[in-house]
Amino acid sequence: MQLLEFARYCEQLEKISGRLEMIDLVAGVLPSLDDRELPLFVRFISGRIFPDWSPLKLGIGPNLLYDAITFVVDGTREDVIGEINRLGDVGLAVEKILTRKKIEGSGAGGRTGTATIQQSLFPQDFDLPAVFREFTAIAEAGGKSSQQAKLSHIQNLFQNITPLEGRYLARLLMEDLRIGMGEGNMRDAIARGFGVEPSLVEHAYQAINDLGEVAILARTGARALEDVHIRLFHPVKMMLAQQGTIGETIRDNGAVAAEFKYDGSRFQFHRSKDASGLYSRKLEDVTTALPDIIEALESATGHDVILDGEVIAVRDGKPLPFQTVLRRFRRKYGVESMREEIRLIPHVFDILYLDGETLIDLPLSERRAKLESAMNAHVAPQLVSDDPAEVETFYQQALDAGHEGIMLKVVASPYTPGVRGKNWIKIKPSVDTLDLAVIGADWGEGKRAHYFGSFLLACQDEQGDLTPLSKVATGFSDEQLGEVFDLLKDRVIASQGKEVSFEPGLVFEIGYSEIQKSPNYESGFALRFPRFIRIRDDKSVDEIETLDSVRERYRNQSK
Ligand code: AMP
């Protein structure tokens, strides 16, 4: 499939608003693609480039894209940014700029005035595999001149393409295609396209963490989907938790498994006979940053395993704040000296794979037995009880020991990667914080005029689109404002007067006193007394609070 054909499908999908119609269209295309194109089409249409498990990341911000476009159309950066500001969308702006420049440049001899498309020396025909090769080269560019290398690959892509291709290529490079073909729709399209059950597609996706490869299996048939296994060094998404209460959880489930809720950073550990890998909650490879955790876990088991757990930092036996752990996760240089400074301990609470066997479909109680038999240390203690008073005492012990609270887990439940369901319930003292995406800001005033001062925050609605919920301007130290500014300055996609919009990516944890109904924000709600608590750079935007759960909190608080 050529990039132009892909862009035409995107354009068609963008015009469709009905979910079923979109699924039908994509389902109709999938069977016609060969094995090389199918996984690429599936991922690209859902706004992804590499498999979710892959450590490869493009590693480009909007600025590099602006530079590439500026070069390709032989224009000015101000022009390019001005167009993006006017249209509020990188894709539409790139399309318009390419159209204008092509027309201006198409006079006699092809060059009129200064605005001409820079022609590539070797015009290329871009089918999806060729585009993917460029993406891979962008992701793999490393070292001192990596930005220059990435830039030249992006320029290469934009030379010789039509404005319509430009619209979707630009958005794809920002990994946000804006055509509404999210994970759920793609799952259903694969199921329909190859005549298999959506639940089988979902299950296979949870295990192998790449919808592209799942599509290939779906083409082979239901058996292939049923037969999937987790693979070492292909991390799977982490299972997530909902809020709840001890009383309700025991009432609904009977005996539950209670564990301390450690306030650190989530990890997934993979071990084979001759290698180990450690992944963060966002599935980044953090193996080299945390040699002490690798050593601790390697000496606790001799088996091939995939383990799920939380790393905490301790001093004098007491847990240190979560931020301290993140400093170790982010560390690239001076790992050894940091290791002396911040002592880390892993607490393992689940096992997904043991000596070739995928365990995610077993009930928690059986996984737990396997975990205990495979490990000789670092297993998080667990209490199984149906007595609310006993669980309350356990909760109090967790808080007294300086932990965040407890987790209650349904003993019969499977491990469902990426799912935030009722099988894991978190119990902690204050529930009045929300993790929200930062989508805009106002410039600060006075001594803070060089920083962003107040931030526009969004939750995600049922379609996964971001919907504004609140602004936050308090709770920041000067140092934090500086840090936030550094993280956001390259994500600006539009600015008007004192306001800027960001390519979403950063997540804040926000405290509040109450959720109110409000016409001021698209979500229909607003936060009373919002205050910044911390940056959640262990969370990605698709993990932020949903509008549904905001509604539920609103209802619960009015009770
Ligand atoms: P939250 O980040 O508030 O949604 O809480 C869920 C997180 O708690 C998980 O993603 C883990 O990082 C962390 N956690 C700490 N202890 C446990 C535990 N025993 N079981 C599961 N998750 C835990």
Side-chain angles (χ1 to χ4, degrees), residues 335-382:
V335 168
E336 282 306 316
S337 60
M338 272 297 255
R339 174 181 171 161
E340 297 297 309
E341 210 179 298
I342 302 174
R343 231 170 71 73
L344 296 183
I345 297 184
H347 292 287
V348 179
F349 45 74
D350 220 317
I351 183 163
L352 318 187
Y353 174 101
L354 177 62
D355 296 329
E357 200 192 341
T358 296
L359 308 179
I360 56 175
D361 296 324
L362 296 182
L364 172 62
S365 49
E366 285 180 38
R367 297 200 307 277
R368 176 79 193 185
K370 287 188 187 282
L371 176 63
E372 286 174 5
S373 72
M375 308 275 298
N376 59 31
H378 299 300
V379 176
Q382 195 185 64

Side-chain angles (χ1 to χ4, degrees), residues 65-71 73 75-86 93-94 97 100-101:
L65 179 64
Y66 304 164
D67 287 345
I69 301 295
T70 305
F71 171 83
V73 300
T76 67
R77 208 166 187 284
E78 287 63 42
D79 224 22
V80 171
I81 292 177
E83 204 63 77
I84 294 167
N85 285 343
R86 263 188 298 283
V94 167
I97 294 164
R100 206 173 60 217
K101 300 299 178 190

Side-chain angles (χ1 to χ4, degrees), residues 185-334:
N185 287 356
M186 186 46 92
R187 176 197 57 211
D188 292 351
I190 293 173
R192 167 124 8 138
F194 298 113
V196 290
E197 281 299 314
S199 59
L200 277 183
V201 175
E202 175 66 25
H203 180 258
Y205 176 46
Q206 288 181 2
I208 58 181
N209 210 2
D210 173 17
L211 272 172
E213 196 184 339
V214 168
I216 303 258
L217 294 177
R219 162 142 68 204
T220 315
R223 277 295 292 278
L225 289 173
E226 279 162 11
D227 216 29
V228 291
H229 294 282
I230 296 190
R231 291 178 207 146
L232 282 172
F233 309 108
H234 284 200
V236 300
K237 294 198 172 69
M238 314 265 176
M239 181 164 172
L240 301 167
Q242 269 185 12
Q243 253 143 20
T245 62
I246 294 175
E248 228 170 15
T249 313
I250 291 183
R251 205 165 43 244
D252 293 348
N253 299 286
V256 290
E259 296 158 4
F260 288 171
K261 184 176 191 304
Y262 304 98
D263 190 14
S265 233
R266 189 82 175 265
F267 71 82
Q268 198 175 99
F269 174 71
H270 291 225
R271 169 174 203 183
S272 70
K273 290 280 163 296
D274 36 35
S276 293
L278 197 68
Y279 305 91
S280 72
R281 178 181 175 130
K282 283 181 175 166
L283 310 188
E284 294 143 332
D285 188 334
V286 290
T287 311
T288 49
L290 301 160
D292 36 351
I293 297 298
I294 301 280
E295 282 163 27
L297 293 172
E298 280 181 347
S299 60
T301 180
H303 294 271
D304 287 6
V305 285
I306 298 179
L307 305 172
D308 186 6
E310 184 95 351
V311 164
I312 59 168
V314 283
R315 184 176 295 146
D316 306 327
K318 279 270 177 194
L320 292 170
F322 152 96
Q323 248 74 9
T324 326
V325 186
L326 272 191
R327 275 173 55 211
R328 286 282 319 266
F329 268 66
R330 285 195 212 134
R331 197 74 177 188
K332 292 211 174 73
Y333 311 102

Side-chain angles (χ1 to χ4, degrees), residues 11-24:
E11 191 186 25
Q12 258 179 291
L13 287 165
E14 197 170 356
K15 286 185 186 143
I16 302 175
S17 55
R19 192 179 110 78
L20 292 179
E21 214 184 320
M22 292 179 84
I23 292 169
D24 260 352

